Amino acid sequence: MQKILVEKNLKLNATWYVRLVSNYLPYRDTAADWRIKLRYIYADWQLKKICAAVAENQTHSSWEIFKDKCQQMHDEWQKRRAALDEKFICDVAKCVKCGMCEKICPVKNITRPQGSPVWNHNCVECLGCLHICPKKAIDFGEITKGRKRYINWNVKPKDLF
């Protein structure tokens, strides 16, 4: 981002951090519904404050706190990117070949030559395919089996396509 801003002779003068619901199932199960509701309420409150600050042209920086750690994590992630999707599995007995996984993939990494998903080693690890699968046929190795899937209550799968 900084490189793009410099090329355009622009400067970032405000950043905020808003904690949202984690959908990264390989680390932990999705939070309980009550915790998700609290996270929504708090995020909404934060976003209203941020909008007011932007409207008043205020400067703010939370990015510097995370910058080095984020860069380190991104560099490590980039090194293993080609192998990110090797853990995905599809239970073909559960798969109804609906194509939702293929449609949701932001980088077109999923194809379905026989109807069930095949990952093509260009994954960005968003886990959209896992969460949107209506039959929970997709897992990220054994660790996500049986874990609750997450789709924002305000978003219906039909709204995504």
Side-chain angles (χ1 to χ4, degrees):
M1 181 178 67
Q2 189 63 36
K3 182 180 169 186
I4 293 168
L5 290 171
V6 168
E7 288 171 2
K8 295 181 180 270
N9 202 26
L10 297 171
K11 180 181 169 230
L12 183 66
N13 63 0
T15 61
W16 285 269
Y17 172 77
V18 178
R19 189 168 178 202
L20 300 172
V21 176
S22 174
N23 69 348
Y24 196 73
L25 289 185
Y27 285 157
R28 70 179 63 87
D29 205 347
T30 301
D33 288 348
W34 67 268
R35 191 175 296 262
I36 291 171
K37 285 178 187 172
L38 284 178
R39 189 70 48 86
Y40 282 166
I41 291 166
Y42 185 65
D44 189 53
W45 175 79
Q46 281 184 296
L47 290 171
K48 286 176 182 166
K49 283 181 55 179
I50 291 167
C51 288
V54 169
E56 295 172 14
N57 209 19
Q58 293 178 5
T59 61
H60 183 273
S61 183
S62 60
W63 172 243
E64 294 302 319
I65 298 168
F66 300 109
K67 185 178 177 184
D68 292 337
K69 188 64 176 168
C70 288
Q71 186 64 53
Q72 178 188 358
M73 289 172 61
H74 177 74
D75 292 345
E76 290 170 14
W77 176 82
Q78 198 65 21
K79 286 177 192 171
R80 60 185 177 84
R81 183 156 178 222
L84 290 176
D85 59 13
E86 290 177 358
K87 289 186 178 180
F88 279 106
I89 52 176
C90 177
D91 183 338
V92 292
K94 288 183 184 178
C95 180
V96 294
K97 299 171 180 43
C98 66
M100 298 283 278
C101 54
E102 183 178 23
K103 289 177 188 170
I104 197 83
C105 183
V107 292
K108 310 231 181 298
N109 184 48
I110 298 173
T111 54
R112 297 178 314 110
Q114 313 284 283
S116 296
V118 174
W119 290 266
N120 296 295
H121 310 299
N122 188 35
C123 185
V124 291
E125 213 171 15
C126 71
L127 303 180
C129 56
L130 181 149
H131 288 283
I132 203 162
C133 180
K135 299 297 180 182
K136 296 183 183 178
I138 298 173
D139 277 295
F140 193 75
E142 296 294 319
I143 196 153
T144 62
K145 286 190 180 211
R147 289 190 173 175
K148 178 180 167 187
R149 298 335 195 216
Y150 172 75
I151 295 178
N152 184 305
W153 297 315
N154 298 313
V155 178
K156 303 296 177 229
K158 67 179 176 78
D159 298 334
L160 298 171
F161 309 116

